[in-house]
Amino acid sequence: MDSTTTAGLWDRLAGSQPGPSLWTVVVTGLLALAAVSPPRVWRVTRNAVTIAHEGGHALVALLSGRTLSGIRLHSDTSGLTVSRGRPSGPGMVLTAAAGYPAPSLLGLAGAWALATGHVTALLWGATALLAAMLVMIRNAWGVLTVVVSGGAFALVSWLAGAELRAAFAYGVVWFLLLGGVRPAFELQRKRRHGRAPDSDADQLARLTGVAPALWLLLFHLVSLVCLVAGGRWLLGV
């Protein structure tokens, strides 16, 4: 690869691109809302939120010094991330707490990137994260969902025009912000009916002595704050 090509790739990655029209931003937000609201649609699209959820566990496990053993994604949209290390302490607490906030925090980071015009950087960054996650996937369904997701990002970032790239990026970020709100409410409902005795909130309660309801409240607060702040960035208000 010659220096001209390298410089062009770097400019494309690091440079800023003009954002789409407000109409496009609003439409992509409505499409994302349609992808997370109907129960039948959500049963499919929730797989993407699970990828972000388990990716959050995995990333924080590594950052906190734990050894990541593997990630499993299941067709019922559940997932499992296994890491080795101390069974208690700050690293374990942070790892257990990272899953539910991860989609919303990723959405917030994506909203900031789009607000500053870094559409291509966001798409390439997401592709790189999915590629890194793929190495740790330990089941066929997980490999399929991550490969399909990463392939979509790669194809759009390389082949689509500027308008389509921007619309795709905004749709993904809206989806993470909106989709990040729903899982904590689902967990709350499951716990009310005694169907999630080993949820992240319950594990955190055993690790810290803080009631599961307070951890759920934290999950709700993070997701809603990210939605409001990220939405303002996307809409430019």
Side-chain angles (χ1 to χ4, degrees):
M1 185 180 293
D2 60 36
S3 59
T4 303
T5 303
T6 302
L9 288 173
W10 175 251
D11 288 342
R12 186 176 179 185
L13 175 61
S16 61
Q17 298 85 37
S21 65
L22 180 60
W23 172 251
T24 300
V25 176
V26 172
V27 169
T28 55
L30 293 174
L31 290 174
L33 183 62
V36 303
S37 298
R40 291 184 179 180
V41 177
W42 177 241
R43 280 196 289 270
V44 177
T45 58
R46 198 185 191 283
N47 284 285
V49 173
T50 302
I51 291 174
H53 178 114
E54 299 305 328
H57 283 311
L59 178 60
V60 173
L62 292 173
L63 292 176
S64 61
R66 299 180 63 81
T67 300
L68 187 60
S69 300
I71 303 168
R72 300 179 71 87
L73 306 171
H74 304 130
S75 58
D76 64 355
T77 74
S78 65
L80 177 67
T81 298
V82 179
S83 62
R84 298 194 306 272
R86 289 184 57 192
S88 61
M92 187 64 215
V93 172
L94 290 172
T95 298
Y100 279 92
S104 296
L105 292 173
L106 285 172
L108 183 64
W112 174 83
L114 294 180
T116 56
H118 293 90
V119 175
T120 302
L122 183 147
L123 295 175
W124 286 19
T127 305
L129 287 174
L130 287 166
M133 187 175 180
L134 181 62
V135 177
M136 299 307 302
I137 299 295
R138 296 293 183 261
N139 67 322
W141 178 260
V143 170
L144 176 63
T145 55
V146 173
V147 167
V148 169
S149 301
F153 277 97
L155 286 174
V156 170
S157 63
W158 277 103
L159 301 179
E163 283 292 327
L164 182 56
R165 284 200 307 272
F168 179 81
Y170 272 79
V172 167
V173 171
W174 274 122
F175 174 80
L176 288 171
L177 292 171
L178 293 165
V181 173
R182 187 165 179 174
F185 285 99
E186 293 175 335
L187 176 58
Q188 186 173 350
R189 185 168 59 252
K190 288 180 180 178
R191 292 192 71 259
R192 189 181 302 124
H193 293 91
R195 299 204 309 269
D198 201 36
S199 70
D200 290 358
D202 291 280
Q203 292 181 45
L204 286 162
R206 291 193 290 270
L207 288 165
T208 64
V210 177
L214 293 179
W215 286 108
L216 274 169
L217 178 60
L218 176 63
F219 297 158
H220 287 313
L221 287 174
V222 171
S223 64
L224 291 173
V225 168
C226 287
L227 175 59
V228 172
R232 288 175 61 88
W233 274 336
L234 293 176
L235 293 169
V237 297

